[in-house]
Amino acid sequence: MASLELRNVVKRYKSQTVLDNLSLSVADGETLVLFGPSGAGKTVLLRLVAGVIDPDEGKILIGGEDMTDLDAEFRGVGMAFQNFALFPHMTAFDNIATPLQAKRSSQSAMKSGVESVAKLLKIGHVLSHKPRALSNGQKQRTALARALVGSPPVLLLDDPLRNVDAKLRFEMRLELPRLLADRGATVVYVTQDYKEAMALGDRIAVMSQGVIKQLGTPQQIYREPANIEIARLFGDPTINLLDVKPSRDAKGIYVGLSNVQVHLTGAYDATVGRDCVIGLRPEALRFVDEGTPAAIPVTVEAETPLNEKIVTLVRTVRGREILVSRPAGTPGQTEGRAHIAVDGKSALLFDQASGDRIGASNVVNLRSGEAA
Amino acid sequence: MEHTSLLERILRGMALTLVVIFFMFPIVWILMMSFQTNETILRIPPQLVFKPTLANYTALITGKLTTAAGTLDIAFMRNLWNSVFLSVTSVAVALLLGVPAAYAFARHKFRGSEDIAFTLLSFRFAPALLVLLPLTLYFQKLGLANTYIGLIWVYQLICLPLILWIVRGYFEDIPADIEYAYRIAGHSWFATFRKIALPLAGPGIAAAGLLAFIFAWNNFVFALVLASADKQPVTVGALAFITSSGIQYGQISAAIVLSITPTLALALYAQRYLVEGLSLGAVKG
């Protein structure tokens, strides 16, 4: 087993810097999710680790050993590609067997190795098929099996669920954590789906424009996002963001929402009079009866049931739209006038100009990547 | 299928028939001429009904050409063998050199790679006659004139750029991820080239090889200048049929039939490989 470390890695394509002085370390056996929009440099990072492209600067260490100048075949990593990258002229069996072939395993070892991993991924019955005869789900599992079969200490999974249907994606999202934990491998998992990131990651690294914007556990990312962008990327329905200017009274710092003073808990002293954005998770809002202290009057615009929860779009008297989410089956206003209350403890405050979260005292140290 | 009216189908059929007749007529006519004597060929008006004779083929195969002026030795079978040998060897050499080079150009962007590739292509821009005079002088100095090696070398001007550029395109069409996946699985670049790139570019290599073969087979001017009688391919050898006692149309036709047979057979055989898909569903469709 092996830890993984990137030190000050820089990768440029022509004049464009794809990875900008990026450092990251993944502990032995940890699953790190790289999350970010396309073009953030996630795939490039994975390829650098795999050794199929070379960094312009910096070092890549696997198990403490410098692998920067080592060719891909000597690094001992397993990788599953987003587009599967199966060998079209080989059967699924031969596809999966390629890492074992490279190790010059015996025929019987190869057969048992392939068959056990195929059984695990439920593709035992299609091993004799060529890739074109496989469904997308089977292709994806074949690609995954090929990455797993040699029991590599480091597994790189490049958005493996991107090209499979929703049902399979859901199933795999449940299966993968157990599968990866059983292997004990160090995993770097790339995804653009925040639910996948939350479900699979021991830690999540949020990437954007070639740098890691935030690194932390799924809970940290969700509860204490480093900036507005990250707050918006995590959570469905998305976080409510409203422009506010905090003020102070005898009870502490408050923001005015529809002429109602909502008091905030937190070290927000420096924000008084500054242009800020308040972030309110839809599930942190709830419908209350009229007359409740700090209740904000709203009108219900629309209601969308989303299976396990109900999302309501409401409009404040000043015309701002807010999403409220509540578990299905709980009472709530479905039309007309209503009142909502804000949980001051879970509210997030961002600086309007920079987009950074204010009072983020526990923001992880990004440069060294030594968090958690 | 789209819906077509009867009239449309009839018109389409007629148009197709016209096209086929237009393209096939010369070949059919040559085939007919090869079974006729010079007298029947030159009859005016030409007649579709005639008494077939194998005299032309016997003359070619035995190498004895009987004309009004007497018997003439022709080396047609020798020429045919030269054509086969020169074309096959040239294409084999060009594949051996061109395919790895094409892979290098496709996968590795090194300094000046585009310039080198373009220079190789530019060999095909220059008129052959322009190159031939200096080449002949050099070859005479080097002792390469009138040798198979010299001819095969010159034929690389025809075959190599063709193979390089066609095969390069096929290599570029293979998703790099497929090769990366094989490397990551623990195989060397050479194993990746052999086990992944070559099989996947197979149809392209076959197409390029076939095309190069046809070009080499049809070449006339290089062999005309650089080879003497015993090294000449059929294209040059056919000149022997223009004799002092007239042009031997019958024999020329028979010679043409014999000399297009190998390329035609090869093309028909390779056809199924050429149409085979390249990627075969490796990457999501």
Side-chain angles (χ1 to χ4, degrees):
Chain A
M1 297 298 117
S3 62
L4 172 69
E5 192 179 346
L6 281 81
R7 280 190 200 152
N8 307 98
V9 170
V10 177
K11 180 70 193 172
R12 299 183 198 92
Y13 283 112
K14 301 214 172 100
S15 60
Q16 202 191 351
T17 305
V18 184
L19 290 181
D20 190 3
N21 196 23
L22 186 141
S23 294
L24 177 70
S25 70
V26 188
D28 185 12
E30 184 187 22
T31 299
L32 180 94
V33 171
L34 286 178
F35 174 88
S38 47
K42 310 182 295 288
T43 298
V44 172
L45 194 153
L46 228 52
R47 277 155 199 239
L48 284 169
V49 176
V52 291
I53 52 176
D54 296 322
D56 293 316
E57 287 169 39
K59 286 196 181 308
I60 294 159
L61 291 85
I62 298 174
E65 264 181 84
D66 189 350
M67 297 267 181
T68 318
D69 298 320
L70 221 53
D71 278 338
E73 62 262 38
F74 305 113
R75 296 201 183 185
V77 303
M79 181 160 175
F81 290 80
Q82 183 193 310
N83 56 19
F84 313 140
L86 296 174
F87 314 125
H89 55 307
M90 298 182 188
T91 62
F93 182 95
D94 290 336
N95 262 285
I96 299 169
T98 46
L100 300 178
Q101 255 164 21
K103 288 182 182 166
R104 312 217 175 282
S105 308
S106 68
Q107 285 294 324
S108 59
M110 207 136 78
K111 196 163 153 37
S112 68
V114 171
E115 274 166 5
S116 74
V117 76
K119 192 173 161 224
L120 196 69
L121 289 165
K122 300 170 197 147
I123 45 168
H125 56 293
V126 292
L127 283 179
S128 60
H129 294 2
K130 293 252 177 95
R132 69 181 142 177
L134 300 176
S135 71
N136 255 5
Q138 287 163 341
K139 281 185 199 173
Q140 185 264 326
R141 280 161 189 265
T142 307
L144 206 57
R146 186 176 64 190
L148 291 172
V149 73
S151 299
V154 174
L155 259 179
L156 309 171
L157 306 177
D158 188 357
D159 216 345
L161 304 185
R162 181 78 176 282
N163 290 317
V164 299
D165 59 68
K167 179 174 172 284
L168 187 73
R169 197 178 311 144
F170 186 75
E171 275 175 28
M172 289 303 285
R173 211 184 280 155
L174 293 175
E175 280 177 43
L176 266 178
R178 188 174 47 85
L179 205 67
L180 297 178
D182 286 352
R183 295 263 147 185
T186 307
V187 182
V188 181
Y189 189 103
V190 163
T191 183
Q192 289 193 41
D193 181 336
Y194 93 93
K195 282 182 188 156
E196 222 168 287
M198 304 271 286
L200 291 170
D202 294 326
R203 281 189 303 156
I204 298 173
V206 183
M207 281 186 77
S208 175
Q209 288 162 351
V211 294
I212 294 177
K213 296 282 188 192
Q214 189 175 5
L215 182 66
T217 63
Q219 295 310 318
Q220 280 173 337
I221 305 271
Y222 190 74
R223 294 208 182 121
E224 298 151 12
N227 57 41
I228 290 183
E229 194 192 348
I230 295 171
R232 208 182 272 139
L233 288 172
F234 283 80
D236 179 31
T238 46
I239 193 165
N240 296 299
L241 295 163
L242 304 168
D243 291 345
V244 292
K245 195 175 277 191
S247 316
R248 183 200 297 275
D249 68 2
K251 284 200 279 181
I253 310 292
Y254 71 90
V255 293
L257 293 172
S258 298
N259 306 322
V260 176
Q261 292 175 4
V262 176
H263 281 84
L264 304 174
T265 17
Y268 295 131
D269 293 322
T271 64
V272 175
R274 257 163 74 186
D275 283 326
C276 293
V277 176
I278 192 166
L280 302 167
R281 294 277 180 205
E283 65 271 20
L285 301 172
R286 59 188 194 285
F287 287 106
V288 291
D289 295 329
E290 195 176 354
T292 313
I296 303 163
V298 291
T299 40
V300 175
E301 294 279 317
E303 191 185 57
T304 313
L306 289 173
N307 301 327
E308 78 284 1
K309 65 189 170 208
I310 297 166
V311 179
T312 315
L313 177 68
V314 300
R315 193 185 293 276
T316 67
V317 286
R318 281 164 63 191
R320 300 202 281 201
E321 289 184 339
I322 295 177
L323 290 168
V324 181
S325 167
R326 64 185 150 88
T330 55
Q333 203 73 30
T334 55
E335 57 184 349
R337 297 187 55 75
H339 286 81
I340 56 169
V342 175
D343 180 5
K345 281 199 284 295
S346 63
L348 303 167
L349 208 56
F350 303 94
D351 184 65
Q352 203 180 73
S354 67
D356 290 339
R357 194 165 66 85
I358 296 164
S361 55
N362 46 3
V363 155
V364 288
N365 188 344
L366 295 179
R367 278 289 167 212
S368 70
E370 303 290 72
Chain B
M1 283 303 286
E2 56 186 305
H3 228 66
T4 46
S5 69
L6 187 67
L7 183 71
E8 225 177 305
R9 275 205 299 261
I10 291 170
L11 285 176
R12 185 174 298 173
M14 278 166 62
L16 283 173
T17 315
L18 273 175
V19 170
V20 170
I21 289 173
F22 181 80
F23 282 105
M24 291 307 289
F25 180 76
I27 293 171
V28 172
W29 197 251
I30 283 169
L31 193 67
M32 281 164 60
M33 274 167 46
S34 73
F35 291 108
Q36 297 177 50
T37 59
N38 236 12
E39 291 79 53
T40 48
I41 293 167
L42 294 172
R43 211 163 33 191
I44 294 173
Q47 284 176 336
L48 281 172
V49 184
F50 57 90
K51 201 163 150 270
T53 166
L54 285 173
N56 296 323
Y57 290 98
T58 8
L60 288 177
I61 291 163
T62 55
K64 293 273 185 258
L65 186 61
T66 321
T67 66
T71 308
L72 202 69
D73 281 335
I74 49 159
F76 178 77
M77 293 316 281
R78 173 85 197 169
N79 290 336
L80 196 61
W81 158 248
N82 283 341
S83 269
V84 172
F85 177 76
L86 284 172
S87 303
V88 168
T89 321
S90 299
V91 172
V93 170
L95 283 173
L96 222 56
L97 297 172
V99 171
Y103 185 68
F105 283 127
R107 280 289 177 254
H108 304 284
K109 298 284 168 235
F110 47 90
R111 191 189 298 271
S113 63
E114 282 306 315
D115 298 330
I116 297 171
F118 188 78
T119 307
L120 284 166
L121 182 69
S122 71
F123 290 164
R124 294 207 47 83
F125 303 162
L129 286 170
L130 194 79
V131 206
L132 263 172
L133 184 66
L135 208 59
T136 315
L137 295 174
Y138 279 132
F139 269 34
Q140 275 163 357
K141 281 241 162 61
L142 292 166
L144 284 169
N146 196 27
T147 60
Y148 283 125
I149 293 176
L151 275 174
I152 289 164
W153 192 341
V154 176
Y155 272 33
Q156 296 310 310
L157 286 178
I158 307 164
C159 300
L160 198 56
L162 207 65
I163 285 175
L164 189 82
W165 276 82
I166 296 177
V167 175
R168 178 192 179 177
Y170 276 86
F171 278 138
E172 281 171 350
D173 282 349
I174 302 172
D177 280 353
I178 293 184
E179 290 180 29
Y180 289 159
Y182 204 67
R183 287 297 294 280
I184 292 168
H187 298 269
S188 68
W189 72 264
F190 187 70
T192 309
F193 173 66
R194 233 161 38 90
K195 295 284 173 73
I196 305 295
L198 276 188
L200 290 182
I205 295 171
L210 181 68
L211 211 58
F213 181 85
I214 292 169
F215 273 76
W217 185 275
N218 289 348
N219 181 262
F220 173 75
V221 71
F222 284 131
L224 176 71
V225 177
L226 291 170
S228 64
D230 64 325
K231 305 281 192 311
Q232 277 168 353
V234 276
T235 43
V236 182
L239 288 176
F241 298 114
I242 304 169
T243 64
S244 53
S245 61
I247 300 169
Q248 305 298 318
Y249 290 106
Q251 273 94 4
I252 291 182
S253 305
I256 290 171
V257 170
L258 284 182
S259 54
I260 62 171
T261 309
T263 36
L264 195 67
L266 198 65
L268 287 176
Y269 172 74
Q271 200 179 16
R272 61 198 170 113
Y273 296 106
L274 301 184
V275 294
E276 210 168 88
L278 178 73
S279 198
L280 307 162
V283 175
K284 53 132 185 163

